[in-house]
Amino acid sequence: MSLDLGVVGNGTVAGLINSRGDYEWFCLPRFDGEPVFNKLLGGGGTFTVWMEGLTKRSQTYDRNTAILRTRMEAEDGAILEIVDFAPRFQHKGRTFRPASLVRRFEVISGAPQLKISLTPETDWGGRRLKPIRGVNHVRFVDEELSFRVTTDAPVSYILTETSFILDKDVTFILGADESLTDSPGVIARDWEERTRQYWAKWARSLAIPFEWQDEVIRAAITLKLCVFEETGGIVAALTTSVPEHEGSSRNWDYRFCWIRDAYFTVTALNRLSGMGTLEHYMRWVRNIVAHSKGGHIQPVYGIGLEADLTEDVAPHLPGFRDSGPVRRGNQAAEHIQHDVYGQVVLGVAQSFFDHRLLAQPGIAEFEQLEPVGERAFAVYDTPDAGIWEFRTIAHVHTSSAIMCWAACDRLSLIADRLGLESRAAYWRERADIIHATILDKAWNDDVKAFTAAFGGTDLDASVLLMAEIGFLPATDERYVATVDAVDRDLRMGDHVYRYKVEDDFGKPKTAFTACTFWFIDALYRVGRVEEARRMFETVLATRNHLGLLSEDVDTETGELWGNFPQTYCMVGIINSAALLSKPWAAVT
């Protein structure tokens, strides 16, 4: 079991497929729903493909799309390609993105002998869904779950898991429990071509850097697949409970929308001119702000704005490589994390300045944000769980205070943009107060760095973000010294740990890849450009065969760990490439 997986999706559902063509993870009716294919976490629910005499396999995405192609070659010369995608395209003035998957089996040469197994489960691995056979379909119906797989393959062979010779192309369409309007093959071909056109057009609209174009485009498409388009919520990852390292118990459910992670995702896509995500996310955030009524804002919500994300353990799944527990829900929703107020404002600030938006916010939207700033000012110097969501540890975390400053700073800039001089001065005064406090309380002259918490001595890679958000210029000697301290104490080879002190689960044993990207960006900003470029190439080499990253990496083996694909890390690819790339002008 590994994270050599590809992702297919359409903004409603997403699935993970391994290099053998097996579905290992797929939830219905949306990202955070019931996993009907759960092999990733040790369950028996999957959609597998076995090929007689298999000797070689490879997997690629069709260029600039989310269409995945798995090629399988047998010793007798038979070659098969499996094309997987989730339909997404414009249809009758709206985006067609049903809770559906399409699998096409193409015979390239010879007569492949296959065994195709379709065994979805429910109750988090507690029981297998009973198939209800039709002439050209199989229905799976449960109390709260129903879907249909329609195919032109022999249904009897599929249900009995009998191997058979594939002498023609066949198609499977998983979707709503209703009849199709045409044959699966005709529909699949039409949907595939229109989905291909959609992704190619979207990728074409991106303002990518000159260098690392393919890496950036793949990262952008992957981020797009993590956006739940119905509401604009953005999941931190598509999986739950893939541990940070084997046996760590650091197994969390990431299929929810952290305001922090979503801010980074929106910012990265904005950098590439992917404005649609900002517009969708603005609506999601405005609802969060309205619900808070100027009070506490949770760090994480469901993609449908659900506030109750009660965490429990799924008893039937052993976990990734038997490294349970498998958690569903996330206790972080109950945490106090003050950085969230800055990320709310940062996430939508650009919308007040960007003339490309179809509907630009104004004074009413600014006034709706002001209570968020008031809350930030009220709590910036009080203890919280911090960016890393400690469960039993509370400090006045520097990164949280910096984000509270950002809330007030950006509100001042927005007010000035709107011509509200008194409000601009009001928020500038508050930003300046927070700024002075952080410089006084977070800098440790003995350590020669801004530390993780006010008055502390421990380091935390998250303070590197202070230059990115404009808290200090990268030329400030204190920032340069902090970069040097992180280099000395948190870096291992070309990877960076978020911290190295014990937390609720002991000391971290894997590097947090997002922090590595933050450090790369910091190196660039302080003038260590060639070192940053070399380190960036090393981190890119840890991606899986399809260019995707999970949350963590083993610094000794380079193996990926943690939930997958992780938006933080895909964001890092985009941001670092944008900073490090040679300009287009150099070659035009």
Side-chain angles (χ1 to χ4, degrees):
M1 186 71 66
S2 74
L3 294 178
D4 286 336
L5 305 170
V7 181
V8 295
N10 61 3
T12 299
V13 292
L16 303 182
I17 303 169
N18 66 26
S19 59
R20 297 179 300 278
D22 302 335
Y23 264 96
E24 292 201 1
W25 187 254
F26 176 64
C27 297
L28 282 172
R30 60 186 204 181
F31 301 149
D32 58 351
E34 173 82 17
V36 295
F37 300 149
N38 52 28
K39 185 179 178 182
L40 181 72
L41 299 182
T46 189
F47 192 170
T48 63
V49 182
W50 172 88
M51 182 175 180
E52 176 71 30
L54 179 66
T55 59
K56 183 179 179 181
R57 63 179 187 267
S58 60
Q59 199 171 45
T60 59
Y61 280 108
D62 286 0
R63 181 174 179 268
N64 295 352
T65 76
I67 299 173
L68 186 64
R69 190 174 297 269
T70 305
R71 185 180 179 92
M72 306 171 75
E73 301 181 25
E75 57 189 4
D76 64 359
I79 301 175
L80 173 75
E81 287 192 347
I82 308 170
V83 179
D84 286 288
F85 67 96
R88 180 186 174 94
F89 49 84
Q90 296 302 308
H91 180 66
K92 295 183 178 179
R94 63 183 181 87
T95 303
F96 179 72
R97 45 174 179 77
S100 296
L101 299 172
V102 177
R103 307 205 82 180
R104 288 200 309 102
F105 290 72
E106 292 184 359
V107 178
I108 305 301
S109 67
Q113 185 174 345
L114 303 180
K115 184 194 301 181
I116 300 173
S117 175
L118 179 61
T119 59
E121 293 187 338
T122 188
D123 192 25
W124 286 78
R127 54 194 171 89
R128 182 168 293 185
L129 283 167
K130 182 179 179 181
I132 303 173
R133 177 183 172 146
V135 176
N136 298 111
H137 69 263
V138 184
R139 299 174 62 226
F140 298 95
V141 180
D142 198 53
E143 294 178 1
E144 298 181 1
L145 181 69
S146 66
F147 62 94
R148 178 182 299 205
V149 179
T150 305
T151 182
D152 48 13
V155 174
S156 295
Y157 292 159
I158 308 305
L159 291 180
T160 58
E161 300 183 20
T162 299
S163 64
F164 64 100
I165 292 175
L166 191 64
D167 54 5
K168 65 174 183 176
D169 297 352
V170 296
T171 299
F172 293 78
I173 298 179
L174 184 156
D177 186 18
E178 56 191 36
S179 299
L180 298 179
T181 57
D182 206 332
S183 69
V186 170
I187 290 176
R189 286 285 189 180
D190 176 58
W191 285 2
E192 180 181 342
E193 182 55 32
R194 295 168 78 175
T195 299
R196 187 187 316 281
Q197 291 174 3
Y198 169 85
W199 285 113
K201 183 178 180 181
W202 187 81
R204 185 170 177 263
S205 72
L206 298 176
I208 59 174
F210 171 67
E211 294 183 273
W212 303 294
Q213 293 182 39
D214 291 338
E215 293 86 343
V216 168
I217 291 171
R218 181 54 48 203
I221 289 174
T222 306
L223 292 180
K224 184 77 169 172
L225 295 178
C226 292
V227 178
F228 185 62
E229 193 156 327
E230 179 183 329
T231 64
I234 305 169
V235 295
L238 293 169
T239 60
T240 177
S241 302
V242 181
E244 294 182 17
H245 58 84
E246 194 163 11
S248 69
S249 294
R250 299 173 187 266
N251 303 13
W252 317 116
D253 193 344
Y254 275 12
R255 302 170 305 146
F256 308 115
C257 186
W258 271 259
I259 294 175
R260 175 192 317 115
D261 298 52
Y263 151 66
F264 284 110
T265 298
V266 169
T267 301
L269 290 177
N270 287 351
R271 182 166 283 164
L272 301 178
S273 299
M275 302 307 300
T277 301
L278 173 59
E279 292 175 313
H280 289 306
Y281 180 66
M282 275 177 55
R283 292 195 296 270
W284 189 87
V285 166
R286 288 187 65 190
N287 278 294
I288 291 294
V289 172
H291 290 171
S292 72
K293 295 181 170 60
H296 168 65
I297 294 179
Q298 295 177 190
V300 55
Y301 292 83
I303 53 178
L305 294 177
E306 296 86 359
D308 184 2
L309 303 181
T310 301
E311 182 180 299
D312 66 358
V313 173
H316 306 298
L317 294 175
F320 182 82
R321 296 190 186 175
D322 292 323
S323 291
V326 171
R327 291 187 172 95
R328 50 194 176 188
N330 200 298
Q331 186 187 326
E334 304 168 16
H335 290 179
I336 304 297
Q337 295 178 32
H338 299 327
D339 59 333
V340 68
Y341 303 107
Q343 285 138 4
V344 165
V345 179
L346 284 170
V348 300
Q350 180 178 336
S351 63
F352 287 87
F353 299 87
D354 198 320
H355 292 187
R356 294 172 295 173
L357 296 181
L358 296 177
Q360 197 167 20
I363 292 176
E365 288 77 12
F366 167 74
E367 291 175 345
Q368 189 181 30
L369 282 177
E370 286 197 289
V372 179
E374 295 289 3
R375 183 74 176 174
F377 186 71
V379 302
Y380 79 90
D381 58 352
T382 62
D384 73 343
I387 187 174
W388 308 123
E389 300 177 344
F390 298 120
R391 296 199 164 197
T392 62
I393 302 169
H395 296 297
V396 181
H397 288 98
T398 302
S399 61
S400 294
I402 290 169
M403 287 298 173
C404 288
W405 167 83
C408 298
D409 175 76
R410 297 316 194 264
L411 284 171
S412 178
L413 296 176
I414 294 169
D416 185 65
R417 168 72 176 81
L418 296 173
L420 304 174
E421 294 181 7
S422 64
R423 300 311 295 165
Y426 177 88
W427 288 113
R428 176 54 51 207
E429 178 185 21
R430 276 149 181 74
D432 289 345
I433 291 171
I434 299 175
H435 196 276
T437 303
I438 294 171
L439 293 182
D440 179 52
K441 302 291 187 182
W443 172 259
N444 186 312
D445 204 45
D446 294 329
V447 180
K448 298 299 181 187
F450 288 102
T451 53
F454 283 13
T457 58
D458 299 323
L459 293 179
D460 187 324
S462 64
V463 302
L464 296 173
L465 294 171
M466 62 172 57
E468 178 176 327
I469 66 172
F471 180 84
L472 278 181
T475 54
D476 188 288
E477 61 182 13
R478 291 162 296 188
Y479 183 75
V480 175
T482 300
V483 174
D484 291 340
V486 170
D487 194 351
R488 179 189 68 229
D489 293 347
L490 299 185
R491 180 176 177 180
M492 182 170 290
D494 283 329
H495 302 280
V496 175
Y497 286 71
R498 48 192 168 181
Y499 51 84
K500 283 197 172 180
V501 297
E502 287 200 5
D503 59 18
D504 308 295
F505 297 89
K507 285 188 178 182
K509 294 184 179 180
T510 49
F512 197 79
T513 301
C515 292
T516 303
F517 285 120
W518 296 346
F519 182 73
I520 290 169
D521 296 351
L523 288 179
Y524 170 85
R525 290 188 170 96
V526 301
R528 295 160 62 178
V529 177
E530 289 308 312
E531 184 180 359
R533 287 176 62 91
R534 181 187 59 76
M535 194 170 179
F536 183 55
E537 291 285 3
T538 299
V539 177
L540 288 180
T542 67
R543 297 172 304 146
N544 74 7
H545 64 295
L546 292 168
L548 308 183
L549 284 169
S550 63
E551 182 178 48
D552 307 275
V553 64
D554 186 311
T555 57
E556 294 183 1
T557 66
E559 186 175 17
L560 298 179
W561 286 91
N563 281 309
F564 178 90
Q566 223 258 0
T567 54
Y568 254 157
C569 300
M570 306 312 291
V571 162
I573 293 173
I574 293 170
N575 290 346
S576 294
L579 285 177
L580 298 171
S581 174
K582 298 174 183 176
W584 281 94
V587 294
T588 58

